[in-house]
Amino acid sequence: MIVQTTKKSKEQLHKELLQPDVITGSEMLLRSLLLEEVDCVFGYPGGAVLYIYDAMHGNPDFKHLLTRHEQGAIHAADGYARSTGKVGVCIATSGPGATNLVTGIATAYMDSVPLVVITGNVATTVIGTDAFQEADITGITLPITKHSYLVRDVKDLPRVIKEAFHIASTGRRGPVLIDIPKDVSNAAAAFYYPEKVEIRGYHPTVQPNKLQVDKMLEAITEAKRPVILAGGGAVYADASKELLEFVEKTQIPVTTTLLGLGGFPSAHPLWMGMPGMHGTYTANHALQDCDLLIAIGARFDDRVTMKVNGFAPKALKIVHIDVDPAEIGKIVEATIPVVGDIKAVLQLANLKAKKSQSEDWIQHIQEDKRNHPLRYKDSDTELKPQFVIEMIHETTNGDAIVTTDVGQHQMWAAQYYKFNKPRSWITSGGLGTMGFGFPSAIGAQVANPDRLVVSINGDGGMQMCSQELAICAINKIPVKIVVINNQVLGMVRQWQEIIHENRFSHIDLAGSPDFVKLAEAYGVKGLRATNKEEARRMWQEALDTPGPVLVEFFVRRDENVYPMVIAGTTIDQMIMGDSE
């Protein structure tokens, strides 16, 4: 594996790193990252970061993974962060290196993922002169970073790094960018790493207002049709245990958003599935019929609410719990706002939480689950993508870390893979970034070397970062790579079929490469399946193979994701598909 080992104890290494030596900015950066206990940095060198990469040379304590594209580096750092809760770190050079990170920064920003993004820049003496490979990356990324720094004095660098990690990992998590000019990375000064961070004006609310929590608990005892909408915030706050306790004490049914999947066990009888555009019948109708809605770390994304003024029309009270006060009331008005860290809020609530009057409501929901399950028309002659996902779930027992790209396969994976634990589901939600799935799996595997990581991709997204197959082969990163190949931009085709009356425009991917040969060209084992028998056999072979494996599943071109709610309609106006 990539992550090297060192004979030094953590205490010994920490003591050595804190020595007040006169060192360069590059050495300061490496020391600071080690003091923040960064396990692996993902990056790609270039002129403006050569001093930084020179400092890495011969440093046995510093671990760096060379990707094949900067976008691969930042998506890998993102997958590392989502799967662990730690801050992911990536490095790129100035100009095109930095701008190649923009999509990944926006992806992390939209999904509240803690990253520290380090870029090089031209020397301070030529900033603003359109020097070779100069780009104002702090200006370019201003709307998609939680904070950013342009370091002009080497003495500031340790403090900046300490602050960046603090900002990225506290409150509502997010990416922080540090831009280091080339002369700053080469300048020298005495190293001093601060013990704590004090940032004027930055004090995220962690502990909630007890009166607001009491109001929520009172509303629960009065409600007869309560629903919990749990989002990615519950996962990122590591509050899954508290959420489970809260649900079992209050007996409130739960629906988890796309990013909230895994935050509540899928096998629990009170889980209703995912809500929204491709949500379950049970979850969507429960949201529309509830008299109390408790949103926990969910931001009421438009793919969840659909037509906002028709969302949860029968809810007499809406509780919104979030660490970011800006989210509360932004989309849906909250009757009872609760600002605070979700783990802290639920811990407080669990001290006094009581059972709701939900017996009849739960019975109604269980009937909906029995009468309207997720279903599809299976086939003995064609390989169905839903079958592939179900097969992957059954063979991994719901314990794998699953990453996806964006499109139909993403929705099928969200619907048919059932998660047992949090931080097992990694997908681009807010930005919907194609090319995200495979490199994020690499980051997740580096961070979790003892867990099975499965990357589920479409034939479109797989081609956007397929070059990262090289680092899987070279570093023996044992990701199991799934390509659901329908030879078309599937989700775009589905929209063109349903919304644009079969006017199919520029969606044909039939000229894509042979993915098995592509994998083999990089030194990765490639397998292919076109029917159920082959699918089972090839997938088992992949699981039995120690290293990375790519399995291409040829599926029906015209298969659609159902249920589906069309934009502009309410979430209970569902197209159920041919099966219902």
Side-chain angles (χ1 to χ4, degrees):
M1 276 299 295
I2 304 92
V3 179
Q4 306 164 16
T5 58
T6 175
K7 293 181 180 179
K8 298 175 185 174
S9 69
K10 187 178 290 186
E11 293 76 16
Q12 181 185 358
L13 179 60
H14 194 267
K15 186 177 180 180
E16 290 179 9
L17 293 171
L18 285 172
Q19 294 299 310
D21 304 320
V22 175
I23 55 177
T24 66
S26 297
E27 293 168 317
M28 288 182 182
L29 173 63
L30 269 56
R31 278 198 188 189
S32 300
L33 293 177
L34 289 169
L35 286 166
E36 290 295 334
E37 299 185 358
V38 174
D39 296 322
C40 184
V41 173
F42 306 87
Y44 203 95
V49 290
L50 280 184
Y51 289 119
I52 296 171
Y53 276 82
D54 187 54
M56 294 181 198
H57 183 73
N59 187 331
D61 303 311
F62 194 81
K63 296 93 180 177
H64 175 279
L65 183 64
L66 172 65
T67 59
R68 294 301 183 264
H69 193 286
E70 291 88 355
Q71 189 167 339
I74 193 164
H75 290 331
D78 188 310
Y80 175 98
R82 295 192 202 220
S83 66
T84 61
K86 297 173 67 175
V87 177
V89 182
C90 65
I91 298 178
T93 192
S94 64
T99 57
N100 277 344
L101 297 174
V102 170
T103 297
I105 295 171
T107 300
Y109 183 78
M110 289 285 280
D111 289 350
S112 305
V113 179
L115 297 182
V116 168
V117 181
I118 298 159
T119 55
N121 210 332
V122 298
T124 56
T125 53
V126 293
I127 287 179
T129 67
D130 295 329
F132 177 67
Q133 290 194 332
E134 179 186 0
D136 178 11
I137 194 61
T138 55
I140 290 167
T141 60
L142 186 65
I144 54 170
T145 50
K146 191 174 177 185
H147 193 62
S148 60
Y149 296 90
L150 172 59
V151 184
R152 291 180 176 271
D153 189 331
V154 69
K155 297 186 185 72
D156 294 332
L157 190 54
R159 173 188 58 80
V160 164
I161 295 167
K162 184 75 174 180
E163 289 182 3
F165 274 83
H166 176 70
I167 293 169
S169 61
T170 55
R172 181 177 182 172
R173 279 69 162 173
V176 177
L177 184 135
I178 305 174
D179 197 30
I180 307 173
K182 189 173 184 178
D183 54 335
V184 173
S185 66
N186 191 42
F191 179 74
Y192 170 73
Y193 202 66
E195 292 183 5
K196 59 181 181 179
V197 173
E198 291 290 338
I199 303 174
R200 187 175 64 183
Y202 180 71
H203 302 286
T205 300
V206 175
Q207 295 300 325
N209 184 305
K210 293 182 180 180
L211 292 176
Q212 294 302 98
V213 174
D214 287 341
K215 287 181 182 179
M216 174 183 70
L217 295 175
E218 182 181 356
I220 289 171
T221 61
E222 296 170 352
K224 294 184 178 180
R225 301 187 311 278
V227 165
I228 290 172
L229 172 67
V235 176
Y236 299 153
D238 293 319
S240 298
K241 180 182 176 183
E242 289 77 10
L243 176 59
L244 178 59
E245 181 183 348
F246 182 68
V247 169
E248 294 190 335
K249 283 185 173 180
T250 59
Q251 287 297 291
I252 300 177
V254 183
T255 176
T256 46
T257 68
L258 180 68
L259 293 183
L261 292 173
F264 189 80
S266 300
H268 197 284
L270 290 178
W271 186 65
M272 300 182 289
M274 183 177 69
M277 175 175 279
H278 296 293
T280 65
Y281 180 98
T282 304
N284 282 359
H285 280 265
L287 285 168
Q288 293 300 83
D289 292 336
C290 69
D291 61 0
L292 172 66
L293 175 58
I294 303 175
I296 302 177
R299 60 187 180 84
F300 293 109
D301 178 80
D302 59 287
R303 290 296 172 96
V304 169
T305 62
M306 301 309 291
K307 185 179 180 181
V308 177
N309 61 7
F311 178 73
K314 298 178 184 177
L316 303 176
K317 292 182 180 178
I318 295 178
V319 180
H320 194 172
I321 306 170
D322 206 290
V323 74
D324 184 359
E327 284 298 335
I328 296 178
K330 186 177 82 173
I331 306 296
V332 174
E333 185 177 352
T335 316
I336 304 173
V338 184
V339 178
D341 177 79
I342 289 165
K343 192 182 189 77
V345 172
L346 292 178
Q347 284 174 340
L348 181 61
N350 284 335
L351 295 175
K352 297 189 290 185
K354 295 179 181 178
K355 186 178 178 182
S356 62
Q357 304 175 52
S358 58
E359 292 88 349
D360 293 342
W361 177 234
I362 291 173
Q363 184 178 346
H364 169 75
I365 283 171
Q366 297 299 345
E367 288 175 3
D368 273 354
K369 287 172 70 174
R370 285 192 297 271
N371 295 332
H372 304 282
L374 288 170
R375 51 164 66 101
Y376 63 96
K377 281 188 175 180
D378 204 356
S379 172
D380 292 326
T381 58
E382 294 179 306
L383 188 58
K384 290 295 187 87
Q386 301 95 327
F387 168 83
V388 174
I389 304 300
E390 287 180 328
M391 178 191 69
I392 293 171
H393 170 259
E394 289 166 7
T395 53
T396 61
N397 299 311
D399 290 328
I401 295 175
V402 176
T403 78
T404 78
D405 214 84
V406 172
Q408 286 182 314
H409 70 276
Q410 177 190 31
M411 294 298 105
W412 285 316
Q415 291 175 334
Y416 290 96
Y417 195 95
K418 308 302 180 187
F419 296 91
N420 299 329
K421 60 187 75 170
R423 298 195 181 277
S424 296
W425 168 249
I426 297 171
T427 196
S428 173
L431 199 65
T433 304
M434 289 181 71
F436 172 84
F438 174 42
S440 68
I442 293 171
Q445 187 74 84
V446 169
N448 301 271
D450 298 325
R451 289 193 62 187
L452 173 65
V453 178
V454 179
S455 177
I456 301 175
N457 307 270
D459 48 321
M462 187 63 204
Q463 293 181 73
M464 293 191 175
C465 277
S466 61
Q467 72 280 345
E468 306 307 336
L469 284 163
I471 63 172
C472 280
I474 292 166
N475 297 285
K476 298 180 172 58
I477 303 173
V479 175
K480 307 308 176 189
I481 307 151
V482 172
V483 179
I484 306 290
N485 190 349
N486 57 5
Q487 302 185 58
V488 71
L489 287 171
M491 191 60 83
V492 180
R493 188 209 57 76
Q494 179 169 336
W495 280 47
Q496 289 178 347
E497 174 192 327
I498 296 172
I499 301 171
H500 297 276
E501 299 175 341
N502 292 307
R503 293 190 297 275
F504 300 117
S505 179
H506 301 285
I507 55 171
D508 189 4
L509 295 180
S512 298
D514 181 322
F515 286 101
V516 172
K517 289 183 178 178
L518 181 65
E520 291 172 346
Y522 279 105
V524 172
K525 186 174 186 176
L527 303 168
R528 178 179 293 113
T530 59
N531 57 52
K532 284 184 175 181
E533 187 275 329
E534 287 180 349
R536 293 189 185 96
R537 184 160 45 86
M538 294 298 105
W539 179 242
Q540 191 58 53
E541 184 175 341
L543 293 176
D544 293 340
T545 300
V549 183
L550 182 148
V551 188
E552 180 183 25
F553 296 95
F554 267 102
V555 299
R556 182 171 176 263
R557 179 186 177 97
D558 297 330
E559 192 73 15
N560 286 337
V561 180
Y562 292 117
M564 178 181 178
V565 180
I566 296 175
T569 63
T570 56
I571 57 171
D572 54 348
Q573 295 178 281
M574 307 172 71
I575 302 172
M576 300 303 292
D578 297 335
S579 61
E580 184 168 330

